[in-house]
Each structure stands twice: as C-alpha cells, then as structure tokens.
C-alpha cells in the first residue's frame, strides 16, 4: 500500500506514471490475463502488475477526492467571508476582502488504463475483480457534482474568488473521472456474479479486503456502485433479498472486515460533510442504510440472536483489535456523523425545497432515535458482554458503566446540534 502523503507518495507516483506511460497495455494484460502466461513462472509478475494497477487507481481516486475537497474548501471559506461581510456592513465596520484563487487543480485519471483494465478483466478472475472492487471503494462516497445547481459557480457566489471557466473545468474534470472509473463497474461485477462455477464467486470473497470494500460500496450513494454490489451479494449468498439482508450477511460472515468497512465510510463522510457545499443525498443514503445496519446489529433474525448479543460475533479478534473496540468506535463515528448532519443542514437547506429537507431530516431523526433505543446493547457489546441485552440491563438498570457514560456523552453531542437545528427551523 502506498503512503498517502509526503515525498514517498510523490516519488511512487512519478515512478508508476513513467512505467505506465511506456508499458500500460503490457502491465494490464499481465495483471488481468494471467492465463495467457505460463504459470507459475509468471505468477509473481502478475501479482506485481495487479499491485501496480491498484496503486495507480488508488492515486486516481485520491486525486478526484482531493480536487472535490479543494473546491469545497474554497466555497466554504467564501461563504464564511460573505457572512462576515454582511455582519460588518450591519455594524458599519470594514469588511474582509476576498482572496482570489489564481488556478485550480483539475483531477486527471488514467482513462486509458482504467478502460484497458475493465476490458481485460475476465469474469473468471476473482483476484482481478478484487483489485478493481477495492480501488472503486476508495472513493465510493463521491457523487457526480451538479454543475447546474448545488455546484454551480453562480449558486455558490464565487465570482470574486474563482474564475467561472476554471471552476467549471475543475467540476467537469471530477465528473469525467467518475464516469471513466465507474461506468463499466456494474458490468464487471455482474459478469463475475453470474458465473456458473460457484467457486469463482466464493474465491472473490476470500480476496484481501473484499468484504470490507463491499460494505463501503453498499453505502455509496451512487446507484451505479451500490446496485451492482447488492446484486453481487445476492448471487453470492443464500437468503439475501434486499439491502438490509446484504448488511446482515456481511456482518455475520465477515464481522471484523464488515465493521471496519462501516467505520471507513463514516470517517470519510465526516471529513467530507464538514466542508462540502452540500452532502444531502450522501447523508440521506447514510441514515437510511444505518437504520438497516442497526437492525442487523441489534434485532434478532430468523438466523438467530442479535449480533451485538452473539458470543461468536463479540469474540471476533482481528488486526490487533477485539470486537468490543470496534463496537465502541462505530458508536463514536455514528454519533459524530449524525451531529455533523444536524450542524450542516442549515447550510445545505437553501439548495433544496422544504418538502425534500423535511423528508430526509425525518429519516435522520429516526436514525437518532434508533441509536438511543439501542444504547444499552452497544454498552454491553463495548464491554464484551454476550448473551443478551436483557441480562445486562437487569443487573444494573440504573447504573451505567464508565463505558456506558462515554456512549451517552457522545449522544449528548448529537442532541446539542439537534437542539440548535430545531431552534433555527422553528
């Protein structure tokens, strides 16, 4: 895995770019058409080629993300400045001057390499599919930017800080990159999922990082990402009918990786939602998915007891972390994400009509209420206590533990931001 900052990253990027400029087609074929080369003589080369492609695609995803976040920072800072200008005028004080941006970064993905990789991928190659699946998951939370509305130069009132042509070109570059990297994704997953040999799909789930990435892909607000992922899971496992079943199945079969995927997505959402001009559709998808996830964790199913009360689930230990730590971290990230939603909704609201905002904020409130209802289940799981929430509650129904107190404290942050939101919307 490449480092994601510093000189080492730039050095890797330069070396990899130079190699691909010269040998892109050969590297792609070796990575994804390994049956064309004698094995095991070429096995090491094939693995190295896949690793190189994965590094390139991760860098492309990061470039798209950083470009979008860069535009968000500019829009966010200009919005704050204009608010200060308004207040300064009311007080008869001098207003802060705009800070023009001379040039914007334009995201650039390796279109030819992505296209060659998708074209070269065989539906019987789980290792190659895993490489693409993990790559797309790294920026699955980004949606196409609406240049005519929420991401318009005029709508964001950026005329004093950014040239319209530069802004439009940067937004268009992000959208073009997303189309390039995602358009063939559904076909690639569906072709693999429909293979008559069940061992092909089974081997996919054994590839490093695939269950973790699949959870992130399920949480993506982009239909061309989450829909094929749902189809893949439905084809891979029995008794999977809807999105809720997908989360329950992954949490059951791959508990540590699935929990890590949930935390990955929440952390990405928090970082992005704090500064983007709007993240309503992402937030809407998040709260709806997490009501399903809380059901999977806290409600009994036909297969047995709730996962947070399951001895097997709570006994999971991977990558140096017990499940109790993962449960506590998930609670922390869920409460932080919900607090960010309530805090930022006032800034997002001008882009949508009242009915739309009321509908999705209702979903956010339902998610928050559901979290509060299950706080004791999370407390028991964070303490590593299996066997049922009822036993835990009966032992000390009015005496929360130190762990429980920390969970309540996290929920209080949500309530503070919720109260502020309610006051502003009276």
């Amino acid at each position: 895995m490449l480092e994601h900052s510093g000189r080492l990253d730039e050095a890797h990027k330069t070396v990899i770019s130079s190699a691909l400029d010269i040998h892109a087609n050969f590297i792609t074929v070796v990575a994804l058409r390994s049956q064309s080369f004698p094995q095991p003589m070429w096995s090491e080369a094939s693995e190295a080629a896949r690793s190189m492609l994965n590094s390139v695609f991760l860098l492309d995803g990061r470039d798209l993300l950083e470009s979008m976040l860069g535009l968000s920072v500019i829009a966010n800072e200009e919005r704050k400045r204009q608010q200060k200008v308004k207040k300064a005028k009311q007080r008869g004080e001098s207003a802060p001057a705009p800070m023009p941006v001379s040039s914007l970064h334009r995201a650039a993905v390796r279109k030819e390499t992505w296209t060659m990789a998708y074209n070269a991928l065989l539906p019987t190659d789980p290792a190659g599919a895993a490489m693409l699946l993990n790559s797309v998951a790294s920026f699955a939370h980004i949606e196409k930017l609406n240049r005519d509305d929420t991401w318009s130069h005029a709508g964001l009132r950026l005329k004093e800080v950014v040239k319209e042509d530069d802004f439009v070109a940067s937004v268009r570059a992000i959208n073009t990159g997303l189309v390039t990297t995602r358009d063939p994704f559904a076909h690639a997953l569906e072709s693999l999922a429909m293979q008559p040999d069940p061992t092909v799909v089974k081997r996919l789930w054994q590839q490093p990082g695939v269950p973790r990435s699949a959870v992130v892909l399920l949480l993506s607000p982009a239909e061309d990402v989450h829909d094929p992922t749902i189809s893949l899971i439905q084809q891979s496992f029995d008794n999977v009918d809807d999105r809720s079943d997908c989360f329950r199945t992954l949490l059951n079969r791959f508990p540590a990786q699935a929990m890590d995927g949930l935390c990955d997505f929440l952390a990405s959402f928090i970082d992005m939602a704090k500064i983007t001009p709007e993240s309503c559709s992402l937030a809407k998808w998040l709260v709806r998915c997490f009501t399903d996830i809380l059901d999977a964790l806290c409600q009994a199913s036909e297969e047995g007891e709730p996962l947070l009360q399951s001895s097997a689930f709570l006994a999971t230990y991977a990558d140096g972390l017990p499940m109790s730590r993962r449960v506590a971290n998930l609670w922390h990230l869920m409460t932080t994400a919900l607090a960010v939603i309530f805090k930022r909704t006032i800034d997002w609201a001008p882009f949508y009509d009242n009915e739309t905002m009321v509908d999705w904020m209702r979903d956010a409130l339902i998610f928050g209420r559901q979290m509060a209802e299950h706080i004791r289940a999370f407390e028991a799981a964070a303490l590593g206590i299996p066997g049922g929430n009822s036993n835990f509650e009966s032992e000390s129904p009015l005496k929360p533990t130190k762990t429980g107190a920390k969970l309540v404290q996290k929920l209080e942050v949500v309530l503070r931001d919720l109260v502020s939101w309610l006051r502003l919307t009276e």
Side-chain angles (χ1 to χ4, degrees):
M1 181 71 69
L2 286 179
E3 295 290 337
H4 287 281
S5 62
R7 295 181 180 178
L8 180 61
D9 178 79
E10 290 303 317
H12 271 95
K13 189 174 181 179
T14 300
V15 171
I16 291 170
S17 295
S18 298
L20 278 175
D21 288 340
I22 302 171
H23 306 294
N25 185 62
F26 179 71
I27 291 171
T28 304
V29 172
V30 172
L32 300 171
R33 294 272 177 166
S34 57
Q35 78 285 353
S36 301
F37 300 88
Q39 300 294 320
M41 183 186 304
W42 282 84
S43 59
E44 186 175 343
S46 296
E47 185 176 345
R50 277 195 300 273
S51 178
M52 176 176 281
L53 286 182
N54 183 62
S55 296
V56 169
F57 294 160
L58 289 176
L59 286 169
D60 280 353
R62 198 189 75 183
D63 195 39
L64 291 170
L65 176 60
E66 290 185 348
S67 181
M68 187 270 290
L69 292 179
L71 295 180
S72 298
V73 168
I74 293 170
N76 197 38
E77 291 301 314
E78 177 61 5
R79 177 183 60 82
K80 291 179 181 178
R81 187 191 71 84
Q82 290 177 9
Q83 289 174 346
K84 291 178 182 178
V85 169
K86 184 177 180 180
K87 291 179 180 179
K89 287 182 177 179
Q90 292 173 347
R91 297 170 182 169
E93 300 173 352
S94 59
M99 299 182 64
V101 179
S102 58
S103 62
L104 294 176
H105 172 72
R106 295 183 188 177
V109 304
R110 291 187 168 273
K111 179 178 179 180
E112 295 78 9
T113 306
W114 280 91
T115 301
M116 284 189 288
Y118 277 117
N119 289 340
L121 180 67
L122 293 172
T124 54
D125 178 12
M131 182 270 295
L132 284 166
L133 189 147
N134 290 334
S135 299
V136 173
S138 69
F139 56 99
H141 57 294
I142 308 177
E143 295 180 273
K144 288 182 67 176
L145 309 183
N146 187 338
R147 293 192 295 113
D148 299 321
D149 190 4
T150 54
W151 281 87
S152 73
H153 185 266
L156 294 174
R157 297 186 295 173
L158 297 175
K159 65 179 181 179
E160 293 186 89
V161 293
V162 180
K163 293 180 180 179
E164 183 174 4
D165 289 347
D166 286 347
F167 183 81
V168 170
S170 292
V171 171
R172 184 181 288 118
I174 293 169
N175 289 343
T176 299
L178 291 175
V179 169
T180 296
T181 56
R182 288 179 180 171
D183 264 15
F185 182 70
H187 181 265
L189 283 196
E190 289 167 359
S191 296
L192 185 140
M194 296 304 292
Q195 282 303 299
D197 183 359
T199 62
V200 174
V201 176
K202 183 178 180 180
R203 281 160 46 213
L204 172 67
W205 294 101
Q206 296 169 352
Q207 301 297 316
V210 165
R212 182 172 183 165
S213 292
V215 169
V216 175
L217 294 169
L218 277 175
L219 287 162
S220 170
E223 289 185 8
D224 54 355
V225 174
H226 65 243
D227 280 352
T229 306
I230 291 173
S231 297
L232 173 66
I233 297 170
Q234 289 173 333
Q235 294 294 329
S236 302
F237 306 107
D238 296 330
N239 302 318
V240 178
D241 297 321
D242 54 24
R243 184 183 66 207
S244 179
D245 293 332
C246 291
F247 287 117
R248 187 182 298 275
T249 295
L250 295 182
L251 284 163
N252 257 310
R253 292 175 177 269
F254 314 100
Q257 287 200 59
M259 289 288 282
D260 289 344
L262 296 178
C263 292
D264 288 344
F265 186 86
L266 287 170
S268 297
F269 169 79
I270 292 165
D271 289 342
M272 192 169 79
K274 285 179 179 179
I275 60 172
T276 49
E278 64 83 28
S279 290
C280 278
S281 55
L282 177 59
K284 181 193 299 184
W285 187 253
L286 184 154
V287 296
R288 289 179 177 176
C289 285
F290 268 85
T291 56
D292 292 338
I293 290 161
L294 286 179
D295 283 343
L297 289 170
C298 304
Q299 301 288 347
S301 67
E302 296 179 359
E303 299 177 359
E305 62 188 342
L307 289 174
L308 290 189
Q309 298 178 24
S310 165
S311 298
F313 183 84
L314 294 178
T316 304
Y317 184 91
D319 300 323
L321 284 179
M323 181 55 71
S324 59
R325 288 278 298 278
R326 286 182 162 88
V327 170
N329 189 39
L330 179 64
W331 180 267
H332 165 69
L333 290 167
M334 286 194 301
T335 52
T336 303
L338 192 54
V340 169
I341 288 172
F342 289 134
K343 191 170 186 176
R344 294 282 286 133
T345 299
I346 298 301
D347 295 323
W348 299 341
F351 296 108
Y352 299 90
D353 59 58
N354 290 338
E355 185 177 349
T356 299
M357 294 302 294
V358 168
D359 284 345
W360 90 262
M361 286 307 295
R362 177 201 60 207
D363 294 334
L365 291 169
I366 290 172
F367 173 45
R369 183 187 67 192
Q370 192 178 13
M371 285 182 62
E373 289 174 352
H374 295 304
I375 190 169
R376 293 290 273 174
F378 272 85
E379 181 183 3
L383 289 167
I385 299 175
N389 193 30
S390 57
N391 292 337
F392 176 73
E393 289 182 352
S394 64
E395 290 177 5
S396 72
L398 300 177
K399 297 179 181 179
T401 63
K402 289 183 179 180
T403 297
K406 290 180 180 178
L407 300 185
V408 171
Q409 188 178 27
K410 296 293 183 184
L411 200 57
E412 288 174 352
V413 177
V414 178
L415 293 176
R416 284 199 298 269
D417 285 315
L418 172 59
V419 169
S420 297
W421 174 75
L422 289 173
R423 285 174 178 168
L424 288 168
T425 53
E426 287 179 349

